[in-house]
Amino acid sequence: AVNELHTQGVGLTFYTGELEGAYSAQKYIKELPYFLDLAKNQTGNQFTGFFYIWIKNPQGQITPVKVSVEGLSVNATLDDLANMINVSLQQAGFYDPSDPNATYLKVLVRGGKLVFQAKDGYAFAFSNDTSGILLSTGINLFFVGTDPEDFSVNNALVLKPELIASGKMDLNALRTENSLFKTYKSVSTVNPFQTFDNSLSKIYLRFYDDKVNQVPLFDQNPYNEKVFFVLGGNVSENTKLTDLGFSDGTIINYGGTLYDGTAVAGTFTVNPFNTVKDLMEGIRATYNYTVEVYIKDGMLCIENKTAGDSQLTFNSVELTQNSYFGPNYRWNVTPSQEYFVEIPVATNEVLSSILAKIDRLPYLRAYVDAENKAVLGLETNQTRAYAFEIGDNSNVNGFIDFLSAQQMYIPSFRGDPDVATLRVTTGFEDFDLDPIDEDYLSFYLFDKKGSYLDTFRVRLDDGKTILDVIKEINSPQNAKYGLSARLDRSGKLIIETTGLYQTATFVVQDEFYDGINYTQTKYDQGFINALKGYEFKRGDNRTAQAIADLSSVTRKDLNYATLEDYYSSLVGEVGSATKAVKDNKNFLETLISQIKAIKDSISGVSLDEEMTNLIKYQQAFAAVAKILTSVEDMLETLINAKR
């Protein structure tokens, strides 16, 4: 039991150089110890299961390599096993039989033993052996020997105690090293005065929280459509219009459409005493009081009183040209109850102006930096939005085309969300996915005892965005896998167990599917490989704790009893058996004594008694003889008298 746990654990450091198995075979796997304990299929003619080799490169990146023994015959040789392991290493990019310089880890057979050899700078460890191969070949053992008489501590651990397995590599939570959603920067310098196709008139933005649920700009009536201004400074209802740069006598023209499409128009003449509140009341009146006008969270909102899709619009040149009011944005709601921000774009509006409009919105930063490169991302000091996607209504050469050309792969779409959209970029353009086969993010799930439960896969190249991966993991239909996903404040991906169902730990890896088999993606390609999700935690003591708990953990081979209970039961059984033997011995001794007494009573002889009886019988005989003699004399006398 100790060895079984130890083979799947990791110490304070990985193995380097060479690791030789403790057990040997002449040729065949069936000659190894614990062959009968290896996992096999129902017919018993093939091995099943898998184990993981964890490989750390010189840069510290850790990659799990899944080695499956499915289909390997029970009559296979140790060389067949080594070849199967090398095939898995080759698929993951760590072994190249034709190029020793591109071989970072390989497996061979020497002296009937399995041997792992790592290139300088590379290290390796093991985990999650569902096949039993590691134990049977004697890889990463604590005790060596096959019999209690020759058991001893593995000499490799004696020489290097930091290799003693105390932790595990499978995870209950993963946090990527690199950000999934980040601040995006153009790959080349940009022209701030660049313009776009005349078909571009609107840019759309959707905001999301850490679990990719939509985030509204407005907590108040988020499903009511609004036109709003992001106010500069500390503008409030009581701020005088003249303090905002409007001169006495300035006429503010405004107009638009009601929720039903009815056109309205109005004017407001500024005087020294007018406040923003007066302007707001004028707008309410012009819109026949079908709207609410209010200031909240630094935004002046003109809100349709009825929830849902509407034709509400509002325009005012005087307000949009004022720096305190700026552009008027629209908070729109689709028929399917999704909401988004709509940014108006003028014909031939330049790049710097569009970025300024985006930058003015809450949660966002958009600008041309000192290197003349475009920057677009989330504001670092806000805590509501963790990601966003962007779209526009252009036909060609739109703002999203500019982002794509500059390799700013924010999830983007083309078209009006109220009608229909076409996906332009998914965010996966930043990742090296397989161009031919299907790409998957695969989760191998284990229970708290380390037993394999199931595999959960999310396809990456079927049109979904990088944000949709999080949605799919969190979807109700996938809750049975016991995982959840989210983003942290820096956009890094976090995947963790939920505590529900049986999933206690998992290993996640990139795979591609060719229509027949799922194959591990090379270590320098794929999704999770690029995000670098694994780290070596020296404080992990799960293996040490599991070994310490062996006395109190039920085991199948002990008839689902704990070691302590099984020992107590065994002692009790031995005691009961000993007492039964003693009772039987006493019973048999008594029985023998009684039988012997009976025998002696039947066949035993006493000389004194026999001599007494002999004398008695002799005297009796003499007496009888005298009687007979007397009788004979009497008969003779009678006969003679007769004569």
Side-chain angles (χ1 to χ4, degrees):
V2 172
N3 275 343
E4 184 179 2
L5 292 170
H6 197 274
T7 59
Q8 304 176 60
V10 61
L12 297 178
T13 184
F14 281 20
Y15 284 100
T16 57
E18 183 175 285
L19 175 64
E20 182 180 80
Y23 302 136
S24 63
Q26 292 294 323
K27 182 176 182 181
Y28 296 99
I29 296 174
K30 64 174 60 176
E31 298 168 349
L32 291 169
Y34 309 110
F35 166 79
L36 296 178
D37 295 331
L38 292 175
K40 304 175 184 70
N41 62 7
Q42 291 183 345
T43 59
N45 64 347
Q46 291 181 340
F47 296 115
T48 63
F50 57 85
F51 64 91
Y52 275 96
I53 306 173
W54 298 79
I55 302 175
K56 182 168 65 173
N57 68 11
Q59 292 73 42
Q61 180 179 351
I62 298 174
T63 304
V65 178
K66 178 174 171 281
V67 179
S68 173
V69 297
E70 295 287 338
L72 186 64
S73 170
V74 295
N75 296 315
T77 65
L78 211 55
D79 284 317
D80 294 330
L81 173 61
N83 290 335
M84 182 168 274
I85 297 173
N86 283 330
V87 167
S88 297
L89 293 171
Q90 185 176 5
Q91 291 170 346
F94 292 103
Y95 174 69
D96 187 344
S98 63
D99 185 2
N101 292 325
T103 295
Y104 309 115
L105 181 67
K106 67 178 180 180
V107 179
L108 52 90
V109 177
R110 185 180 61 206
K113 296 181 179 181
L114 206 62
V115 180
F116 288 79
Q117 291 181 341
K119 189 175 182 178
D120 287 346
Y122 285 78
F124 58 96
F126 305 92
S127 81
N128 300 90
D129 183 9
T130 67
S131 65
I133 285 293
L134 295 177
L135 177 62
S136 187
T137 55
I139 296 296
N140 194 25
L141 297 183
F142 185 84
F143 293 112
V144 294
T146 57
D147 190 285
E149 292 183 357
D150 62 3
F151 266 10
S152 63
V153 176
N154 190 339
N155 192 53
L157 305 182
V158 174
L159 297 175
K160 200 172 182 180
E162 58 267 31
L163 290 173
I164 296 175
S166 57
K168 297 179 69 177
M169 290 302 299
D170 52 331
L171 307 170
N172 52 31
L174 174 146
R175 181 178 183 267
T176 62
E177 180 181 332
N178 296 327
S179 295
L180 175 62
F181 196 90
K182 56 192 177 184
T183 295
Y184 296 84
K185 189 173 184 177
S186 63
V187 294
S188 61
T189 58
V190 299
N191 177 10
F193 302 103
Q194 173 183 344
T195 59
F196 302 92
D197 187 78
N198 289 339
S199 60
L200 175 63
S201 63
K202 295 176 182 177
I203 290 175
Y204 310 103
L205 286 164
R206 290 193 183 108
F207 297 101
Y208 298 99
D209 66 10
D210 59 337
K211 293 192 173 182
V212 196
N213 301 305
Q214 278 203 272
V215 172
L217 282 181
F218 308 95
D219 292 328
Q220 180 175 318
N221 302 326
Y223 292 103
N224 291 24
E225 293 192 337
K226 306 167 181 62
V227 175
F228 65 97
F229 295 86
V230 180
L231 301 173
N234 295 314
V235 178
S236 69
E237 292 184 356
N238 298 320
T239 302
K240 291 183 178 180
L241 292 173
T242 53
D243 291 339
L244 300 179
F246 293 103
S247 302
D248 183 16
T250 298
I251 297 175
I252 300 175
N253 297 287
Y254 56 85
T257 55
L258 304 180
Y259 69 94
D260 60 1
T262 302
V264 293
T267 61
F268 186 89
T269 302
V270 177
N271 66 46
F273 306 102
N274 289 144
T275 63
V276 174
K277 184 175 182 180
D278 297 322
L279 175 61
M280 293 165 58
E281 180 57 34
I283 294 172
R284 286 193 195 94
T286 300
Y287 276 73
N288 297 330
Y289 297 98
T290 62
V291 296
E292 291 288 353
V293 184
Y294 57 89
I295 294 177
K296 186 173 177 60
D297 298 328
M299 292 179 284
L300 188 151
C301 302
I302 303 165
E303 177 186 295
N304 184 40
K305 285 186 174 181
T306 305
D309 196 19
S310 78
Q311 300 182 54
L312 174 68
T313 62
F314 179 89
N315 297 288
S316 173
V317 174
E318 288 78 15
L319 292 181
T320 56
Q321 290 180 346
N322 181 277
S323 61
Y324 288 95
F325 285 84
N328 63 314
Y329 305 90
R330 179 178 170 81
W331 179 253
N332 210 341
V333 181
T334 69
S336 60
Q337 297 295 288
E338 294 182 343
Y339 32 75
F340 58 94
V341 175
E342 186 180 290
I343 305 171
V345 178
T347 302
N348 294 323
E349 187 166 358
V350 299
L351 173 63
S352 59
S353 175
I354 293 174
L355 291 175
K357 286 182 176 180
I358 297 173
D359 189 67
R360 192 178 182 105
L361 285 166
Y363 314 149
L364 293 174
R365 290 303 317 275
Y367 55 92
V368 176
D369 67 8
E371 297 177 335
N372 244 22
K373 291 188 175 182
V375 178
L376 180 54
L378 290 167
E379 197 174 59
T380 56
N381 60 358
Q382 57 84 31
T383 58
R384 295 198 65 186
Y386 285 72
F388 64 90
E389 60 179 332
I390 191 167
D392 70 30
N393 67 339
S394 65
N395 296 325
V396 292
N397 192 28
F399 184 70
I400 57 172
D401 299 300
F402 161 78
L403 295 177
S404 180
Q406 289 292 338
Q407 298 179 25
M408 301 169 72
Y409 295 124
I410 306 166
S412 67
F413 58 89
R414 193 188 308 277
D416 188 340
D418 258 339
V419 183
T421 61
L422 177 67
R423 181 61 58 189
V424 176
T425 56
T426 63
F428 285 114
E429 294 82 1
D430 266 334
F431 299 89
D432 186 8
L433 301 183
D434 191 286
I436 299 174
D437 296 318
E438 298 175 1
D439 293 275
Y440 286 86
L441 185 64
S442 299
F443 298 86
Y444 289 84
L445 312 177
F446 303 90
D447 66 15
K448 62 182 179 180
K449 293 184 178 180
S451 300
Y452 168 68
L453 294 173
D454 204 348
T455 302
F456 168 42
R457 291 185 171 94
V458 178
R459 187 172 175 185
L460 306 177
D461 58 351
D462 57 352
K464 65 168 58 74
T465 70
I466 54 174
L467 302 178
D468 290 329
V469 172
I470 297 175
K471 283 184 179 180
E472 186 163 339
I473 294 172
N474 293 334
S475 64
Q477 65 266 28
N478 291 326
K480 62 183 179 182
Y481 296 110
L483 297 176
S484 69
R486 59 186 174 90
L487 296 170
D488 71 3
R489 289 301 318 148
S490 58
K492 296 179 179 180
L493 176 63
I494 296 175
I495 302 171
E496 52 201 344
T497 56
T498 61
L500 302 176
Y501 309 103
Q502 293 180 301
T503 301
T505 61
F506 62 89
V507 177
V508 57
Q509 63 187 62
D510 291 295
E511 293 182 329
F512 63 86
Y513 180 62
D514 60 5
I516 301 175
N517 298 309
Y518 289 94
T519 303
Q520 184 161 353
T521 305
K522 287 184 63 178
Y523 72 92
D524 56 354
Q525 298 173 349
F527 178 71
I528 205 67
N529 286 341
L531 294 176
K532 300 180 181 179
Y534 291 104
E535 59 180 330
F536 180 43
K537 298 180 179 178
R538 293 178 178 269
D540 184 357
N541 68 340
R542 287 179 291 166
T543 297
Q545 188 62 52
I547 292 174
D549 290 341
L550 281 175
S551 63
S552 59
V553 174
T554 60
R555 296 182 58 81
K556 182 179 179 180
D557 48 6
L558 298 182
N559 199 24
Y560 296 100
T562 66
L563 184 61
E564 184 178 353
D565 291 342
Y566 184 79
Y567 177 75
S568 298
S569 174
L570 184 62
V571 170
E573 289 178 7
V574 171
S576 297
T578 301
K579 185 177 183 301
V581 169
K582 288 182 178 179
D583 290 345
N584 286 337
K585 177 176 177 291
N586 292 335
F587 171 75
L588 290 174
E589 286 177 344
T590 302
L591 180 61
I592 289 171
S593 177
Q594 292 175 347
I595 293 173
K596 184 177 181 182
I598 294 173
K599 175 187 175 186
D600 289 344
S601 68
I602 296 173
S603 60
V605 176
S606 173
L607 294 178
D608 293 339
E609 183 181 354
E610 293 300 323
M611 181 59 71
T612 302
N613 288 337
L614 183 60
I615 295 171
K616 183 173 64 176
Y617 294 148
Q618 183 181 15
Q619 291 176 348
F621 178 78
V624 170
K626 287 181 178 182
I627 291 172
L628 290 175
T629 301
S630 297
V631 171
E632 183 180 2
D633 290 343
M634 289 175 65
L635 287 175
E636 185 177 353
T637 300
L638 286 175
I639 293 171
N640 290 332
K642 176 108 175 149
R643 294 178 179 169

